[in-house]
Amino acid sequence: METKETLVEIGTDGRPLVRSTSGLADRLSQDADKLLVPALFIILVVVLSVLNEHFLTIGNVINVLQQLSILGIVSVGMTFVVIAGGFDLSVGSVVALSGSLAALVMMNYGILTGVAAGLCAGLLVGLVNGTMVSKLNVSPFIATLGTLVIARGLALGITGGSAVFDLPSGFAFVGTGQLLGIPIPVIVAFVIFVIGMVVLHTTAFGLKIYAVGGNREASRLSGIKVDRIILATYVICGLTASIAGVVLSARLRAGEPTVGMLMELFSIAAVVLGGTSLQGGEGALARTIIGVLFIGFLENGLNLLNVPYYWQQVIIGTVFVVAAAIGMWRRRR
């Protein structure tokens, strides 16, 4: 016989929330859903390890993690936005703008001033995105598509369309140095993930993000400042994109106005692969990590197997579509 129970939790406003479960079968199904992508990731690693002896070597794994660090940092902010019920198409352009601006400023005013300028650029774009979506009720697609074009144009404009070279050696260490054998970009990405997980999963602010993504009207009626929460998620997304841009410019030892192409699509795909709902209210940063790793190791494995680039795009695109379809199917059951 299927058992049923009622769970009582305390809401963010201090009042009890009653939530019914449909019993053991539903809980087991939910657990299975959460394990699906991790299981597929393990299968992917095993298969690629068998097909290529160099895939699971320490050197290759560290190389993949370093390559993934930029996407990982961007995906943290994207997870906040998607859980709140939106998405941000401007992150790739913000990566380019922040890195380019940081490079230009530090050439004349020093490393710290350059880094601050790059971070401020991301915060400003996030603030503009959040204001348009939360205050002016502009569609996230239109708002962030507009800032995507604007930020990319600014990156090309301030650099004259050319890369900014000869950056200070101390700055380059952030992108190319190591600590205990671990690349600095990987450490930065790990720290950003940890901070994001603490904020999203252990604070009242994080709980409000889930509430807003799940039901904005109910959140508003319960006293949550919905527009402020949405605005904050876009600012966070802009900040993480700018951090990624600064780290990437340090790794390249140049401010490149053309970097970050398709970064927004890959970060959204990583979030969706990790099981976060594009409809909002559901997801976890720990699973976003799995999505990022899945994309990175898949690309690396295809490269090691000498799969032509165009077929790689077909395979990766197919994975994205299947992941989105599985997510929709799970939520319709």
Side-chain angles (χ1 to χ4, degrees), residues 1-325:
M1 178 181 296
E2 186 183 45
T3 61
K4 294 188 177 182
E5 57 182 333
T6 300
L7 300 179
V8 180
E9 299 178 346
I10 302 301
T12 56
D13 58 352
R15 292 178 291 184
L17 299 174
V18 180
R19 184 174 63 188
S20 298
T21 67
S22 57
L24 180 61
D26 283 348
R27 293 200 303 273
L28 290 175
S29 177
Q30 292 171 2
D31 291 339
D33 289 342
K34 293 179 180 179
L35 293 175
L36 177 61
V37 174
L40 291 176
F41 174 67
I42 293 173
I43 293 172
L44 173 70
V45 171
V46 171
V47 171
L48 292 176
S49 300
V50 172
L51 294 176
N52 191 290
E53 61 182 1
H54 302 293
F55 175 75
L56 210 54
T57 60
I58 294 177
N60 187 59
V61 170
I62 291 178
N63 176 64
V64 173
L65 292 178
Q66 186 169 16
Q67 296 293 328
L68 283 177
S69 59
I70 305 303
L71 176 62
I73 295 171
V74 172
S75 297
V76 172
M78 187 66 75
T79 302
F80 276 77
V81 172
V82 173
I83 290 177
F87 56 87
D88 189 348
L89 297 178
S90 69
V91 290
S93 296
V94 172
V95 168
L97 175 60
S98 298
S100 299
L101 182 60
L104 281 172
V105 173
M106 75 176 59
M107 292 292 290
N108 298 308
Y109 301 101
I111 296 175
L112 292 180
T113 305
V115 171
L119 297 182
C120 286
L123 287 170
L124 180 59
V125 174
L127 182 62
V128 171
N129 286 335
T131 300
M132 287 192 291
V133 174
S134 65
K135 303 293 186 180
L136 304 179
N137 293 321
V138 179
S139 162
F141 177 82
I142 298 299
T144 60
L145 179 62
T147 50
L148 176 155
V149 177
I150 293 171
R152 181 68 64 180
L154 288 173
L156 292 168
I158 63 176
T159 60
S162 302
V164 180
F165 294 104
D166 300 324
L167 301 185
S169 58
F171 176 66
F173 178 78
V174 175
T176 60
Q178 294 186 345
L179 183 62
L180 300 177
I182 303 175
I184 299 298
V186 176
I187 296 175
V188 173
F190 176 76
V191 171
I192 297 299
F193 264 116
V194 171
I195 294 174
M197 290 178 68
V198 170
V199 172
L200 189 59
H201 301 301
T202 67
T203 68
F205 172 66
L207 293 175
K208 290 177 182 178
I209 292 176
Y210 281 96
V212 170
N215 191 317
R216 292 189 182 183
E217 186 58 29
S219 299
R220 184 176 289 106
L221 292 175
S222 68
I224 296 176
K225 303 296 184 181
V226 173
D227 55 345
R228 294 183 184 179
I229 297 298
I230 294 173
L231 175 62
T233 60
Y234 279 98
V235 171
I236 290 171
C237 193
L239 176 61
T240 56
S242 63
I243 293 173
V246 171
V247 173
L248 181 57
S249 65
R251 202 177 85 195
L252 298 175
R253 300 186 180 186
E256 290 275 3
T258 59
V259 298
M261 297 289 187
L262 299 181
M263 180 74 71
E264 57 279 345
L265 301 184
F266 275 77
S267 62
I268 292 174
V271 172
V272 173
L273 274 171
T276 298
S277 171
L278 283 174
Q279 298 174 346
E282 178 184 349
L285 266 176
R287 283 183 277 166
T288 294
I289 297 175
I290 300 298
V292 171
L293 293 175
F294 194 104
I295 292 173
F297 279 97
L298 175 60
E299 284 187 314
N300 177 257
L302 294 175
N303 282 326
L304 291 176
L305 295 175
N306 295 317
V307 176
Y309 177 76
Y310 45 85
W311 287 119
Q312 289 187 35
Q313 299 303 295
V314 172
I315 294 171
I316 294 172
T318 301
V319 170
F320 292 170
V321 172
V322 171

